[in-house]
């Protein structure tokens, strides 16, 4: 079987699996978030945290809940790392330095999982399981809660109430993430991933000798890092490590975990607003962009010329033989079009245009299908922008789902789409002129050549501000400058957009519905899906094209 055919068959199987899970998972989440009943375990949690799950919150109260919970998680994870030296099961690892502890805490709380450390050489079992793995669950549930709050803004009328953050947080964790994670962990263990609390020990090597490594609760953390679109890795090799991702089947299964909730949330959206075709329109936009990016990535990697093409059938340097070009391309696009950041190949080793596709996928805002929750609310904000543009073209007050898109709504949407480019381009520009930041480039030859060195810095801040977490390999990010600035980019890139999303939800929920007329734009039709996709690509292109031209485009054309 040719490598190209194998890649196409993998993609076909993935699409079929996602299609099978789409309706039942989407309907389950819609019923869960609209239910008034609480499970017994949920009631225990509410009593422990002192929350009344039946109290309805307006958007400022909902936002305070999001920020208060996230700040508490940030402080807890920071202190856990700083105290690692005295914790049990730390294997003698020292406490994490202040700047790296801040960076890591910010990373996991912001659902980014950017890592400027090697997991197996820096983190003990307590920090990995009680700190990092817990944040993988709750940061994903927080993103889902914010998305549902925005959907309620469209669904509700003449009220500013968006639901209860604590109830949404707990339900997302208990009823969605944990059950799927348990089943997924069992699948990975059955396929060869490890799950233990063993200490450091020697492993025999194929050519003789031993290599020192440690075990860990790897399978359970691998599942939630993919399912919650978190990213990161128990080991430095991430999802290319055989303990995390043993074979081709687990590779495709992990891609399925990355995509299943973001795609299914479009069904949840359609059910909650009372029109499933609206969800299909959003799904179609996400799906077309994802398939287009996947096809482009596979083409650029399979078409790569030189000795690699003749010897291996594709550009195999930096990629795993277990997965091949097809599996690596599918994984790469899935992880950069969502806010995951897990990698099963060395992104720095992809072709220049392949690296550009990865960058552009993040620059879209990671909305096709995007992160768990963040992809849906990002796409709905872009839908508001698209409706506004359509209204300008026909001279009609824009409406979306029966809500007028007025001055307040469009200002909030505009602020949302400006946050990330400001962080990415601002921090990249500063890094390219400060001597200390430039000096941290490990690959000085690439930096001297220009485009690739610039791409490494641009990729780092694009990944951080978009809460992705993957990286090109030539940048030494474990420095005070990058630990601090990327940490700030992750926090601001995660929570500032949430402020505008919740404010937009509150504004929409307080409106009186507008009756549909013959002049109303039909937003469930293919025409609107095309308009939405075009709006996304045009806004991203106008914003980032100059930076891409200096990096991957210049490198690819050289």
């Amino acid at each position: 079987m040719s490598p190209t055919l194998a890649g196409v068959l993998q993609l076909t199987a993935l699409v079929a699996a996602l299609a099978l899970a789409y309706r039942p998972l989407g309907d389950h989440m819609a019923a869960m978030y609209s239910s008034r009943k609480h499970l017994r375990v949920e009631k225990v949690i509410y009593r422990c945290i002192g929350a009344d799950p039946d109290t309805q919150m307006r958007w400022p109260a909902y936002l305070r809940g999001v920020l208060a919970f996230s700040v508490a998680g940030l402080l807890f994870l920071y202190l856990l790392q700083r105290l690692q030296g005295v914790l049990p099961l730390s294997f003698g690892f020292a406490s994490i330095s202040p700047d790296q502890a801040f960076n890591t805490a910010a990373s996991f709380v912001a659902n980014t999982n950017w890592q400027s450390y090697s997991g197996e050489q820096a983190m003990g079992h307590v920090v990995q399981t009680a700190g990092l793995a817990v944040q993988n669950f709750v940061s994903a549930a927080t993103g889902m809660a914010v998305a549902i709050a925005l959907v309620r803004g469209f669904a509700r009328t003449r009220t500013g109430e968006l639901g209860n953050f604590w109830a949404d947080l707990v339900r997302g964790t208990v009823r969605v993430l944990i059950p799927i994670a348990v089943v997924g962990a069992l699948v990975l263990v059955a396929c060869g991933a490890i799950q233990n609390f063993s200490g450091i020990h020697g492993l025999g090597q194929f050519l003789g000798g031993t290599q020192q490594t440690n075990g860990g609760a790897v399978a359970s953390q691998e599942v939630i890092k993919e399912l919650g679109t978190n990213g990161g890795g128990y080991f430095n090799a991430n999802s290319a490590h055989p303990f995390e991702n043993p074979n081709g089947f687990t590779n495709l299964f992990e891609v399925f975990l990355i995509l299943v909730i973001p795609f299914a949330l479009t069904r949840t959206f359609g059910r909650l607003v009372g029109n499933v075709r609206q969800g299909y329109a959003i799904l179609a936009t996400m799906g077309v962009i994802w398939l287009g990016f996947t096809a482009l990535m596979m083409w650029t990697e399979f078409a790569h010329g030189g000795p690699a093409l003749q010897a291996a059938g594709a550009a195999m340097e930096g990629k795993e033989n277990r997965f091949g070009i097809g599996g690596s391309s599918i994984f790469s696009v899935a992880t950069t079009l969502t806010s995951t950041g897990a990698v099963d190949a060395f992104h720095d080793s992809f072709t220049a245009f392949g690296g550009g596709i990865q960058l552009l996928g993040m620059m879209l805002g990671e909305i096709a299908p995007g992160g768990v929750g963040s992809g849906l609310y990002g796409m709905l904000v872009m839908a508001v922008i698209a409706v506004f543009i359509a209204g300008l073209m026909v001279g009609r007050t824009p409406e979306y789902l029966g809500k007028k898109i007025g001055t307040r709504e469009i200002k909030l949407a505009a602020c949302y789409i400006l946050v990330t480019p400001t962080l990415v381009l601002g921090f990249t520009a500063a890094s390219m002129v400060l001597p200390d930041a430039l000096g941290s480039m490990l690959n000085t030859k690439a930096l001297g050549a220009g485009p690739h060195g610039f791409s490494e810095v641009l990729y780092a801040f694009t990944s951080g501000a978009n809460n992705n977490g993957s990286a090109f390999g030539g940048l030494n990010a474990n420095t005070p400058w990058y630990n601090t600035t990327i940490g700030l980019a992750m926090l601001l890139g995660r929570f500032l957009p949430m402020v505008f999303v919740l404010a937009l939800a509150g504004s929409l929920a307080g409106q009186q519905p507008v009756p549909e007329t013959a002049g109303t734009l039909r937003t469930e039709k293919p025409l609107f899906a095309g308009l939405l996709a075009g709006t996304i690509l045009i806004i991203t292109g106008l914003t980032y094209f100059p930076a891409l031209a200096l990096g991957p485009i210049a490198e690819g054309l050289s």
Side-chain angles (χ1 to χ4, degrees), residues 1 41 185 209 214 220 263 276 353 357 476 511-512:
M1 183 184 297
V41 65
N214 55 291
S220 58
F263 273 130
V276 293
F353 289 130
I357 292 170
N476 176 20
Q511 288 190 25
Q512 183 173 347

Side-chain angles (χ1 to χ4, degrees), residues 30 33 144-157 161-162 265-274 373 376-377 380 401 403 501-502 504-506 508-509:
Y33 282 117
M144 294 167 66
V146 173
I148 294 302
L150 179 58
V151 174
R152 291 190 185 116
F154 284 109
R156 297 181 176 183
T157 60
E161 297 175 345
L162 301 177
L265 276 172
T266 62
R267 171 77 179 185
T268 304
F269 161 68
R271 289 289 304 274
L272 292 179
V273 299
L376 178 60
Y377 66 66
L380 292 179
L401 300 177
K403 301 296 178 71
V501 167
L502 291 174
L504 176 62
L508 294 169

Side-chain angles (χ1 to χ4, degrees), residues 350-512:
F350 278 64
T351 62
F353 289 130
I357 292 170
Q358 295 163 353
L359 267 169
L360 184 60
M362 293 185 290
M363 289 170 174
L364 291 180
E366 297 182 310
I367 52 178
V372 169
S374 61
L376 178 60
Y377 66 66
M379 185 61 84
L380 292 179
V381 171
M382 294 304 300
V384 168
I385 299 289
V387 167
F388 178 74
I389 293 173
L392 292 178
M393 290 191 293
V394 300
R396 177 182 170 87
T397 301
E399 304 164 9
Y400 186 52
L401 300 177
K403 301 296 178 71
K404 287 186 177 182
I405 307 302
T407 303
R408 175 178 171 81
E409 288 76 24
I410 201 62
K411 285 180 178 178
L412 291 170
C415 288
Y416 175 92
I417 64 174
L418 288 173
V419 168
T420 304
T422 301
L423 294 171
V424 171
L425 300 177
F427 280 127
T428 300
S431 298
M432 296 307 295
V433 298
L434 294 176
D436 289 343
L438 288 176
S440 69
M441 292 291 300
L442 292 179
N443 192 346
T444 55
K445 182 178 179 181
L447 179 61
H452 192 77
F454 177 79
S455 294
E456 290 177 342
V457 178
L458 178 65
Y459 193 106
F461 286 106
T462 302
S463 176
N466 284 283
N467 302 132
N468 183 270
S470 63
F472 275 1
L475 178 68
N476 176 20
N478 187 19
T479 67
W481 167 259
Y482 284 110
N483 277 332
T484 303
T485 54
I486 294 176
L488 290 173
M490 290 185 290
L491 290 176
L492 295 174
R494 172 71 165 178
F495 295 109
L496 270 182
M498 285 184 175
V499 173
F500 300 122
V501 167
L502 291 174
L504 176 62
S507 178
L508 294 169
Q511 288 190 25
Q512 183 173 347

Side-chain angles (χ1 to χ4, degrees), residues 77-95:
L77 188 52
Y78 176 83
L79 291 174
L80 199 65
Q81 294 175 85
R82 296 290 293 137
L83 295 173
Q84 177 174 251
V86 299
L87 294 175
L89 299 177
S90 63
F91 309 132
F93 293 148
S95 297

Side-chain angles (χ1 to χ4, degrees), residues 85-433:
V86 299
L87 294 175
L89 299 177
S90 63
F91 309 132
F93 293 148
S95 297
I96 308 300
S97 64
D99 59 290
Q100 192 173 48
F102 163 73
N103 180 277
T104 304
S107 172
F108 279 78
V109 170
N111 196 244
T112 310
N113 292 34
W114 170 275
Q115 294 173 297
S116 59
Y117 61 88
S118 299
E120 67 269 40
Q121 299 174 4
M123 300 292 185
H125 288 331
V126 174
V127 174
Q128 289 273 24
T129 55
L132 306 184
V134 169
Q135 284 301 320
N136 282 347
F137 281 96
V138 296
S139 65
T142 299
M144 294 167 66
V146 173
I148 294 302
L150 179 58
V151 174
R152 291 190 185 116
F154 284 109
R156 297 181 176 183
T157 60
R158 292 187 291 271
T159 177
E161 297 175 345
L162 301 177
N164 186 286
F165 167 70
W166 305 107
D168 294 338
L169 172 73
V170 171
R171 288 180 176 184
T173 304
V174 172
R175 303 192 197 184
V176 178
L177 298 175
I178 289 179
I180 300 177
V182 170
V183 175
L186 293 175
V187 171
L188 288 184
V189 169
C191 292
I194 67 170
Q195 182 78 7
N196 57 55
F197 288 101
S198 68
I200 297 176
H201 57 278
L203 292 177
Q205 294 181 314
F206 181 73
L207 297 178
T210 60
Q211 176 181 345
Q212 296 296 311
T213 187
N214 55 291
V218 176
S220 58
Q221 189 158 327
E222 184 74 13
V223 166
I224 190 55
K225 88 171 190 183
E226 314 293 15
L227 181 65
T229 60
N230 296 280
Y234 208 100
F235 299 98
N236 190 45
N238 209 281
S239 294
H241 198 292
F243 288 175
E244 293 192 25
N245 193 1
N247 52 55
F249 170 77
T250 59
N251 189 66
L252 205 61
F253 178 65
E254 290 181 12
V255 178
F256 170 80
L257 291 174
I258 292 171
L259 300 174
V260 64
I261 293 180
F263 273 130
L265 276 172
T266 62
R267 171 77 179 185
T268 304
F269 161 68
R271 289 289 304 274
L272 292 179
V273 299
N275 188 341
V276 293
R277 289 182 296 176
Q278 297 288 348
Y280 290 145
I282 299 297
L283 172 67
T285 306
M286 291 178 171
V288 167
I289 294 174
W290 170 61
L291 288 172
F293 270 65
T294 303
L296 281 174
M297 179 63 81
M298 294 177 72
W299 175 77
T300 60
E301 296 306 303
F302 279 119
H304 179 69
L309 179 61
Q310 286 75 35
M316 284 300 297
E317 192 274 326
K319 301 180 179 69
E320 275 288 328
N321 284 320
R322 288 174 291 144
F323 313 138
I325 286 294
S328 296
S329 298
I330 293 169
F331 199 111
S332 171
V333 171
T335 197
T336 50
L337 276 176
T338 63
S339 63
T340 309
V343 296
D344 75 343
F346 201 43
H347 282 192
D348 204 28
S349 294
F350 278 64
T351 62
F353 289 130
I357 292 170
Q358 295 163 353
L359 267 169
L360 184 60
M362 293 185 290
M363 289 170 174
L364 291 180
E366 297 182 310
I367 52 178
V372 169
S374 61
L376 178 60
Y377 66 66
M379 185 61 84
L380 292 179
V381 171
M382 294 304 300
V384 168
I385 299 289
V387 167
F388 178 74
I389 293 173
L392 292 178
M393 290 191 293
V394 300
R396 177 182 170 87
T397 301
E399 304 164 9
Y400 186 52
L401 300 177
K403 301 296 178 71
K404 287 186 177 182
I405 307 302
T407 303
R408 175 178 171 81
E409 288 76 24
I410 201 62
K411 285 180 178 178
L412 291 170
C415 288
Y416 175 92
I417 64 174
L418 288 173
V419 168
T420 304
T422 301
L423 294 171
V424 171
L425 300 177
F427 280 127
T428 300
S431 298
M432 296 307 295
V433 298

